[in-house]
Amino acid sequence: MEKKFCTAVVLAAGQGKRMGTKVAKQYLEIGGRPLLYYALEAFERSPLVDAIVLVVGSGEQVSYCRTEIVDAYGFKKVGRIIPGGKERYDSVFCALTEIARGMDPAAREGYVLIHDGARPAVDEGIISRCLESAKRDGACVAAVPSKDTVKLADENGFAAVTPPRDRVWIVQTPQAFEFPLIYGAYRRMKNSVQRLEQEGIRITDDAMVVETFTDKKVKLVEGSYENIKVTTPEDLGMVETFLGLRAPR
């Protein structure tokens, strides 16, 4: 299959309020390096990824990330560092717009991997599986089968539905797409934000944008149980153990 340009979008604009620290969680140190370093390192190392767009908080975070992370650790693929928006989908749309208007034209005809910078344990196997699925299926997400029984609650907090466990997957990132597909879906979504709010629909990931605004099905591909999102202080110890098995550059 002909190789097309692949851009990784790494999202690091969140405040991480549940972490309960003054420092945003993406800049907390694990193993002597900022949490964000590890996701960037995975995409920097990958021969499948051609460029990285890093989305950070507004204000001084752009210059801080350029000096203290990208330049300090020699990340050559990070060609764009841009401020994000209020919501996650705003940040993703900023990155997609940057790719569409400001990058190599080949990027607009290729693939995009959208990843949470707070998932430091992403690895080459996950990247490869996601990209292969994007080439084959057009849209996919990394995910793992649920180990637990899941129940859906009614409006009063009572168990209403128990879906078969073998059909329940826990969605992760990266989420990978043909660029024209995801960019078109996001543009339609941005034009419908007011309607979505009125209907009480909350966009929580990129796959949901594709599912809502296109007729494309999103494939679930094998992620990893180690590919957790660092959200609370308890997560730091677990991810430090996972990353301890790797050797940094």
Side-chain angles (χ1 to χ4, degrees), residues 8 10 35-49 52 75 77 113 115 119-128 174 227 243 246 249:
V10 178
L35 180 70
L36 177 58
Y37 163 90
Y38 295 96
L40 292 174
E41 173 71 357
F43 293 112
E44 180 79 17
R45 281 188 173 190
S46 175
L48 303 174
V49 174
I52 302 170
F75 291 124
K77 292 182 181 179
L113 295 157
H115 185 67
R119 291 185 187 272
V122 63
D123 59 30
E124 182 63 18
I126 300 172
I127 294 170
S128 176
N227 185 30
L243 294 173
R246 298 188 194 173
R249 284 188 299 167

Side-chain angles (χ1 to χ4, degrees), residues 100-220:
R101 298 178 181 176
M103 290 182 59
D104 188 323
R108 301 195 289 269
E109 302 301 324
Y111 303 97
V112 62
L113 295 157
I114 303 172
H115 185 67
D116 296 324
R119 291 185 187 272
V122 63
D123 59 30
E124 182 63 18
I126 300 172
I127 294 170
S128 176
R129 291 190 293 273
C130 285
L131 187 54
E132 285 302 313
S133 180
K135 293 176 180 178
R136 183 178 60 251
D137 306 305
C140 74
V141 298
V144 290
S146 175
K147 295 180 179 181
D148 302 312
T149 296
V150 174
K151 293 186 180 292
L152 304 183
D154 64 18
E155 62 275 11
N156 297 311
F158 291 96
V161 179
T162 305
R165 190 168 64 182
D166 61 354
R167 300 288 294 275
V168 177
W169 289 65
I170 308 301
V171 172
Q172 303 176 336
T173 65
Q175 304 194 0
F177 309 91
E178 296 171 336
F179 180 78
L181 172 71
I182 189 66
Y183 184 48
Y186 258 94
R187 291 181 66 181
R188 289 190 284 276
M189 185 274 290
K190 289 293 287 184
N191 291 329
S192 304
V193 168
Q194 186 174 3
R195 175 179 64 81
L196 294 174
E197 291 177 348
Q198 290 173 346
E199 295 176 1
I201 299 173
R202 183 168 177 262
I203 298 295
T204 55
D205 74 344
D206 313 298
M208 188 176 178
V209 178
V210 170
E211 293 158 2
T212 304
F213 293 97
T214 79
D215 58 2
K216 174 69 71 173
K217 289 186 176 181
V218 179
K219 183 73 172 180
L220 300 172

